[in-house]
Amino acid sequence: QVQLVESGGGLVKAGDSLRLSCTASGQFGSVYNMGWFRQAPGKQREFIAGISGNGATVNYVDSVKGRFIISRDEAKNTMYMEMNSLRPSDTARYYCEIPCVKSGCLPTYWGIGTLVTVSS
């Protein structure tokens, strides 16, 4: 069983930055891909970024490309997402997951999410 815990969300103003973290614990059979989804109020949960098990490959959806940076620290079993130039449209609950690295994939494991609110 794998547990994922997100942190780092909060209330910020448009143009500000935040860094989200996701720490994994439990038993892992192998190195795993990870990613981030988000769910805005009244909308479906959507994939936004993923990173391969060795960190060599990353993928972003267009809406966050160039503003968000996904990374991971294997020694700490932690994944990060640096979010820059935040917009009110980025307001959502952000979830980390295993093992999706692209849209159209259904994660096996989810965290409970961390709320990001961006005011104009």
Coordinates of all heavy atoms in Angstrom, one line a residue, residues 45-104:
R45 N -11.7 16.6 -12.5 CA -10.3 16.6 -12.1 C -9.5 16.3 -13.4 O -9.9 15.5 -14.3 CB -10.0 15.4 -11.2 CG -8.7 15.5 -10.4 CD -8.7 14.4 -9.4 NE -9.7 14.5 -8.3 CZ -9.7 13.8 -7.2 NH1 -8.8 12.9 -7.0 NH2 -10.7 14.0 -6.3
E46 N -8.4 17.1 -13.6 CA -7.6 17.0 -14.8 C -6.1 16.8 -14.5 O -5.6 17.3 -13.5 CB -7.8 18.3 -15.6 CG -7.3 19.5 -14.9 CD -7.3 20.8 -15.8 OE1 -7.5 20.6 -17.0 OE2 -7.1 21.9 -15.3
F47 N -5.5 16.0 -15.4 CA -4.0 15.9 -15.3 C -3.4 17.2 -15.7 O -3.8 17.8 -16.7 CB -3.6 14.8 -16.3 CG -2.1 14.7 -16.5 CD1 -1.3 14.0 -15.6 CD2 -1.5 15.3 -17.5 CE1 0.1 13.9 -15.8 CE2 -0.2 15.3 -17.7 CZ 0.6 14.6 -16.9
I48 N -2.3 17.6 -15.0 CA -1.6 18.8 -15.4 C -0.1 18.5 -15.6 O 0.5 19.2 -16.4 CB -1.8 20.0 -14.4 CG1 -1.4 19.6 -13.0 CG2 -3.2 20.4 -14.5 CD1 -1.4 20.8 -12.1
A49 N 0.5 17.6 -14.9 CA 2.0 17.4 -15.0 C 2.4 16.0 -14.5 O 1.8 15.5 -13.6 CB 2.7 18.5 -14.3
G50 N 3.4 15.4 -15.1 CA 3.9 14.1 -14.7 C 5.4 14.0 -14.9 O 6.0 14.8 -15.7
I51 N 6.0 13.1 -14.1 CA 7.4 12.9 -14.1 C 7.7 11.5 -14.0 O 7.1 10.7 -13.3 CB 8.1 13.7 -13.0 CG1 9.6 13.7 -13.1 CG2 7.6 13.3 -11.6 CD1 10.3 14.7 -12.2
S52 N 8.7 11.0 -14.8 CA 9.0 9.6 -14.9 C 9.8 9.2 -13.6 O 10.2 10.0 -12.8 CB 9.9 9.3 -16.1 OG 11.1 10.0 -16.0
G53 N 9.9 7.9 -13.4 CA 10.5 7.4 -12.2 C 11.9 7.8 -12.0 O 12.3 8.1 -10.8
N54 N 12.7 8.0 -13.0 CA 14.1 8.5 -12.9 C 14.2 10.0 -13.0 O 15.3 10.5 -13.0 CB 15.0 7.8 -13.9 CG 14.6 8.1 -15.3 OD1 13.7 8.9 -15.6 ND2 15.3 7.4 -16.2
G55 N 13.1 10.7 -13.2 CA 13.1 12.1 -13.3 C 13.5 12.7 -14.6 O 13.6 13.9 -14.8
A56 N 13.8 11.8 -15.6 CA 14.4 12.2 -16.8 C 13.3 12.8 -17.8 O 13.7 13.6 -18.7 CB 15.2 11.1 -17.5
T57 N 12.1 12.4 -17.6 CA 11.1 12.8 -18.6 C 9.9 13.5 -17.8 O 9.5 13.0 -16.8 CB 10.5 11.6 -19.3 OG1 11.5 10.9 -20.0 CG2 9.4 12.0 -20.3
V58 N 9.6 14.6 -18.3 CA 8.4 15.4 -17.7 C 7.4 15.7 -18.8 O 7.8 15.8 -20.0 CB 8.9 16.7 -17.0 CG1 9.8 16.3 -15.8 CG2 9.6 17.6 -17.9
N59 N 6.2 16.0 -18.4 CA 5.2 16.3 -19.3 C 4.2 17.2 -18.6 O 3.9 17.1 -17.4 CB 4.4 15.0 -19.7 CG 3.3 15.2 -20.7 OD1 3.5 16.0 -21.6 ND2 2.2 14.5 -20.6
Y60 N 3.8 18.2 -19.4 CA 2.8 19.3 -18.9 C 1.7 19.5 -19.9 O 1.9 19.3 -21.1 CB 3.6 20.6 -18.7 CG 4.8 20.6 -17.9 CD1 6.0 20.4 -18.4 CD2 4.7 20.8 -16.5 CE1 7.2 20.4 -17.6 CE2 5.8 20.8 -15.7 CZ 7.0 20.6 -16.2 OH 8.1 20.6 -15.4
V61 N 0.6 19.8 -19.3 CA -0.5 20.3 -20.2 C -0.2 21.7 -20.6 O 0.5 22.4 -19.9 CB -1.9 20.1 -19.6 CG1 -2.2 18.7 -19.3 CG2 -2.0 21.0 -18.3
D62 N -0.8 22.2 -21.7 CA -0.5 23.5 -22.2 C -0.8 24.6 -21.3 O -0.1 25.6 -21.2 CB -1.3 23.7 -23.5 CG -0.7 22.9 -24.7 OD1 0.4 22.4 -24.6 OD2 -1.4 22.7 -25.7
S63 N -1.8 24.4 -20.5 CA -2.3 25.5 -19.6 C -1.2 25.9 -18.5 O -1.3 27.0 -17.9 CB -3.6 25.2 -19.0 OG -3.5 24.0 -18.2
V64 N -0.3 25.0 -18.2 CA 0.7 25.2 -17.2 C 2.1 25.2 -17.7 O 3.0 25.6 -17.0 CB 0.6 24.2 -16.0 CG1 -0.8 24.2 -15.5 CG2 1.0 22.8 -16.4
K65 N 2.3 24.8 -19.0 CA 3.6 24.7 -19.6 C 4.3 26.1 -19.5 O 3.6 27.1 -19.9 CB 3.5 24.2 -21.0 CG 4.8 23.7 -21.6 CD 4.5 23.1 -22.9 CE 3.7 21.8 -22.8 NZ 3.5 21.2 -24.1
G66 N 5.5 26.2 -19.1 CA 6.2 27.4 -19.0 C 6.1 28.2 -17.7 O 6.8 29.1 -17.4
R67 N 5.1 27.7 -16.9 CA 4.8 28.4 -15.6 C 5.1 27.4 -14.4 O 5.5 27.8 -13.4 CB 3.4 28.9 -15.5 CG 3.1 29.9 -16.6 CD 1.7 30.5 -16.3 NE 0.6 29.5 -16.4 CZ -0.2 29.3 -15.4 NH1 -0.1 30.0 -14.2 NH2 -1.2 28.4 -15.5
F68 N 4.8 26.2 -14.6 CA 4.9 25.1 -13.6 C 6.1 24.3 -13.9 O 6.4 23.9 -15.0 CB 3.7 24.3 -13.5 CG 2.4 25.0 -13.0 CD1 2.4 26.3 -12.8 CD2 1.3 24.2 -12.6 CE1 1.2 27.0 -12.3 CE2 0.2 24.8 -12.2 CZ 0.1 26.2 -12.0
I69 N 6.8 23.8 -12.8 CA 8.0 23.0 -13.0 C 7.8 21.8 -12.0 O 7.7 22.0 -10.8 CB 9.3 23.7 -12.7 CG1 9.5 24.9 -13.6 CG2 10.5 22.7 -12.8 CD1 10.6 25.8 -13.3
I70 N 7.8 20.6 -12.5 CA 7.7 19.4 -11.7 C 9.1 18.8 -11.5 O 9.9 18.8 -12.4 CB 6.7 18.4 -12.4 CG1 6.4 17.2 -11.4 CG2 7.3 17.8 -13.7 CD1 5.3 16.3 -11.9
S71 N 9.3 18.3 -10.3 CA 10.6 17.7 -10.0 C 10.4 16.6 -8.9 O 9.3 16.5 -8.3 CB 11.6 18.7 -9.6 OG 11.2 19.4 -8.4
R72 N 11.5 15.9 -8.6 CA 11.4 14.9 -7.6 C 12.7 14.7 -6.9 O 13.8 14.9 -7.6 CB 10.8 13.6 -8.1 CG 11.7 12.9 -9.1 CD 10.9 11.7 -9.8 NE 10.5 10.7 -8.8 CZ 9.6 9.8 -9.1 NH1 9.0 9.7 -10.3 NH2 9.3 8.9 -8.1
D73 N 12.7 14.2 -5.7 CA 13.9 13.9 -4.9 C 13.7 12.5 -4.4 O 12.9 12.2 -3.5 CB 14.1 14.9 -3.8 CG 15.3 14.6 -3.0 OD1 15.9 13.5 -3.0 OD2 15.8 15.6 -2.3
E74 N 14.3 11.5 -5.1 CA 14.1 10.1 -4.8 C 14.6 9.8 -3.3 O 14.0 9.0 -2.7 CB 14.8 9.2 -5.8 CG 14.0 8.9 -7.0 CD 12.6 8.4 -6.7 OE1 12.6 7.4 -5.9 OE2 11.7 8.9 -7.2
A75 N 15.6 10.4 -2.9 CA 16.1 10.2 -1.6 C 15.1 10.5 -0.5 O 15.1 9.9 0.6 CB 17.4 10.9 -1.3
K76 N 14.2 11.4 -0.8 CA 13.2 11.9 0.2 C 11.8 11.3 -0.2 O 10.8 11.6 0.5 CB 13.1 13.4 0.2 CG 14.4 14.1 0.7 CD 14.3 15.6 0.7 CE 15.5 16.2 1.2 NZ 15.4 17.7 1.3
N77 N 11.7 10.5 -1.3 CA 10.4 10.0 -1.7 C 9.4 11.2 -1.9 O 8.3 11.1 -1.6 CB 9.9 9.0 -0.8 CG 10.5 7.6 -0.9 OD1 11.1 7.3 -2.0 ND2 10.5 6.9 0.1
T78 N 9.9 12.3 -2.4 CA 9.1 13.5 -2.5 C 9.1 14.0 -3.9 O 10.1 14.1 -4.6 CB 9.6 14.5 -1.5 OG1 9.5 14.0 -0.2 CG2 8.7 15.8 -1.6
M79 N 7.9 14.5 -4.4 CA 7.8 15.1 -5.7 C 7.4 16.6 -5.4 O 6.7 16.9 -4.4 CB 6.7 14.4 -6.5 CG 6.3 15.1 -7.8 SD 5.1 14.2 -8.7 CE 3.7 14.4 -7.6
Y80 N 7.8 17.5 -6.2 CA 7.5 18.9 -6.1 C 6.8 19.5 -7.3 O 7.0 18.9 -8.4 CB 8.8 19.7 -5.8 CG 9.5 19.2 -4.6 CD1 10.6 18.3 -4.8 CD2 9.2 19.6 -3.3 CE1 11.4 17.8 -3.8 CE2 10.0 19.1 -2.3 CZ 11.0 18.2 -2.5 OH 11.8 17.8 -1.4
M81 N 6.1 20.6 -7.1 CA 5.7 21.4 -8.3 C 5.8 22.8 -7.9 O 5.2 23.3 -7.0 CB 4.3 21.0 -8.7 CG 4.0 21.7 -10.0 SD 2.6 20.9 -10.9 CE 1.3 21.3 -9.8
E82 N 6.7 23.5 -8.6 CA 6.9 24.9 -8.5 C 5.9 25.6 -9.4 O 5.9 25.3 -10.6 CB 8.4 25.3 -8.9 CG 8.7 26.7 -8.7 CD 8.9 27.1 -7.2 OE1 9.3 26.2 -6.5 OE2 8.7 28.3 -6.9
M83 N 5.1 26.4 -8.8 CA 4.0 27.1 -9.6 C 4.3 28.6 -9.6 O 4.3 29.2 -8.6 CB 2.7 26.8 -9.0 CG 2.4 25.3 -8.9 SD 0.7 24.9 -8.5 CE 0.6 25.7 -6.9
N84 N 4.6 29.1 -10.8 CA 4.9 30.5 -11.0 C 3.9 31.2 -11.8 O 3.1 30.6 -12.5 CB 6.3 30.6 -11.7 CG 7.4 29.9 -10.9 OD1 7.6 30.2 -9.7 ND2 8.1 29.0 -11.6
S85 N 3.9 32.5 -11.7 CA 2.9 33.4 -12.4 C 1.5 32.8 -12.3 O 0.8 32.7 -13.3 CB 3.3 33.4 -13.9 OG 4.6 33.9 -14.1
L86 N 1.1 32.6 -11.1 CA -0.2 32.0 -10.8 C -1.3 32.9 -11.3 O -1.2 34.2 -11.2 CB -0.4 31.7 -9.3 CG 0.4 30.4 -8.9 CD1 0.6 30.3 -7.4 CD2 -0.4 29.1 -9.4
R87 N -2.4 32.3 -11.7 CA -3.6 33.0 -12.2 C -4.8 32.6 -11.4 O -4.8 31.5 -10.9 CB -3.8 32.6 -13.7 CG -2.6 32.9 -14.6 CD -2.8 32.1 -15.9 NE -1.7 32.3 -16.8 CZ -1.5 31.7 -18.0 NH1 -2.4 30.7 -18.3 NH2 -0.5 31.9 -18.7
P88 N -5.8 33.4 -11.4 CA -7.1 33.0 -10.7 C -7.6 31.7 -11.3 O -8.2 30.9 -10.6 CB -8.0 34.1 -11.0 CG -7.1 35.3 -11.1 CD -5.9 34.8 -11.8
S89 N -7.4 31.4 -12.6 CA -7.8 30.2 -13.2 C -7.0 28.9 -12.7 O -7.4 27.8 -13.0 CB -7.7 30.2 -14.7 OG -6.4 30.5 -15.1
D90 N -6.0 29.1 -11.9 CA -5.2 28.0 -11.3 C -5.8 27.6 -10.0 O -5.4 26.6 -9.4 CB -3.8 28.4 -11.1 CG -3.0 28.6 -12.4 OD1 -3.2 27.8 -13.3 OD2 -2.2 29.6 -12.5
T91 N -6.8 28.3 -9.5 CA -7.5 28.0 -8.3 C -8.1 26.6 -8.4 O -8.9 26.3 -9.3 CB -8.6 29.0 -7.9 OG1 -7.9 30.3 -7.7 CG2 -9.4 28.6 -6.7
A92 N -7.7 25.7 -7.5 CA -8.2 24.3 -7.6 C -7.6 23.6 -6.4 O -6.7 24.1 -5.6 CB -7.7 23.7 -8.8
R93 N -8.1 22.4 -6.2 CA -7.5 21.4 -5.3 C -6.5 20.6 -6.1 O -6.9 20.0 -7.1 CB -8.5 20.6 -4.6 CG -7.9 19.8 -3.4 CD -9.0 19.2 -2.5 NE -8.5 18.7 -1.3 CZ -8.3 19.4 -0.2 NH1 -8.5 20.7 -0.2 NH2 -7.8 18.8 0.9
Y94 N -5.3 20.5 -5.6 CA -4.2 19.8 -6.3 C -3.9 18.5 -5.7 O -3.7 18.4 -4.4 CB -2.9 20.7 -6.4 CG -3.1 21.9 -7.3 CD1 -3.9 22.9 -7.1 CD2 -2.4 21.9 -8.6 CE1 -4.0 24.0 -7.9 CE2 -2.5 22.9 -9.4 CZ -3.3 24.0 -9.1 OH -3.5 25.0 -10.0
Y95 N -3.9 17.5 -6.5 CA -3.7 16.1 -6.0 C -2.4 15.5 -6.6 O -2.2 15.6 -7.8 CB -4.8 15.2 -6.4 CG -6.2 15.6 -5.9 CD1 -7.0 16.6 -6.6 CD2 -6.7 15.1 -4.7 CE1 -8.2 16.9 -6.1 CE2 -7.9 15.5 -4.2 CZ -8.7 16.4 -4.9 OH -9.9 16.8 -4.4
C96 N -1.6 14.8 -5.8 CA -0.5 14.0 -6.4 C -1.0 12.6 -6.6 O -2.0 12.2 -5.9 CB 0.7 14.1 -5.6 SG 0.7 13.3 -4.0
E97 N -0.4 11.9 -7.5 CA -0.8 10.6 -7.8 C 0.3 9.7 -8.4 O 1.3 10.2 -8.8 CB -2.0 10.7 -8.9 CG -1.7 11.5 -10.1 CD -0.8 10.8 -11.2 OE1 -0.7 9.5 -11.2 OE2 -0.2 11.5 -12.0
I98 N 0.0 8.4 -8.4 CA 0.9 7.4 -9.0 C 0.0 6.6 -9.9 O -1.1 6.1 -9.5 CB 1.6 6.6 -8.0 CG1 2.6 7.4 -7.2 CG2 2.2 5.3 -8.6 CD1 3.2 6.7 -6.0
P99 N 0.3 6.2 -11.2 CA 1.6 6.5 -11.8 C 1.5 7.3 -13.2 O 2.3 7.1 -14.1 CB 2.0 5.0 -12.2 CG 0.7 4.4 -12.6 CD -0.4 5.1 -11.8
C100 N 0.5 8.2 -13.2 CA 0.2 8.8 -14.6 C 1.2 9.9 -14.9 O 1.5 10.7 -14.1 CB -1.2 9.3 -14.6 SG -2.4 8.1 -14.4
V101 N 1.6 9.9 -16.2 CA 2.4 11.0 -16.7 C 1.8 11.7 -17.9 O 2.5 12.5 -18.6 CB 3.9 10.5 -17.0 CG1 4.6 10.1 -15.7 CG2 3.8 9.3 -18.0
K102 N 0.5 11.4 -18.2 CA -0.1 12.0 -19.3 C -1.6 12.0 -19.1 O -2.1 11.2 -18.2 CB 0.2 11.4 -20.6 CG -0.2 9.9 -20.7 CD 0.2 9.3 -22.0 CE -0.2 7.9 -22.1 NZ 0.2 7.3 -23.4
S103 N -2.3 12.8 -19.8 CA -3.8 12.8 -19.8 C -4.3 11.5 -20.2 O -3.7 10.8 -21.0 CB -4.3 13.9 -20.6 OG -3.9 15.2 -20.2
G104 N -5.5 11.2 -19.8 CA -6.2 9.9 -20.2 C -5.8 8.7 -19.4 O -6.3 7.6 -19.7

